[in-house]
Amino acid sequence: MGGDRIIKDYIGGLGGRDVNPATIKRMYQDIQQAEAASDVPVWIDTKENPMEIREVLRYV
């Protein structure tokens, strides 16, 4: 395999959301525009930044 491949991870379909053809097209376009591979997954079709969601703490 050549080293010219760009690999990215995508996370989608959370909470039962559909991953529709328009979403697949956006992922494809994103990969075409990428200049390098990434170790950070791309969250698709989420309303808020998932990295800012706070963990719920349970106090006993």
Side-chain angles (χ1 to χ4, degrees):
M1 291 264 154
D4 58 347
R5 309 269 188 307
I6 293 180
I7 298 173
K8 295 177 77 173
D9 294 321
Y10 293 87
I11 299 173
L14 299 175
R17 290 184 181 94
D18 290 337
V19 177
N20 57 40
T23 302
I24 301 295
K25 184 176 179 178
R26 283 198 330 265
M27 292 187 310
Y28 179 74
Q29 290 170 341
D30 180 55
I31 292 171
Q32 285 184 318
Q33 295 173 2
E35 294 181 12
S38 174
D39 292 341
V40 179
V42 177
W43 294 74
I44 56 173
D45 294 339
T46 56
K47 293 182 179 179
E48 53 187 282
N49 183 349
M51 301 313 284
E52 293 177 1
I53 297 174
R54 294 185 182 148
E55 180 179 335
V56 177
L57 299 177
R58 181 179 174 190
Y59 295 97
V60 179

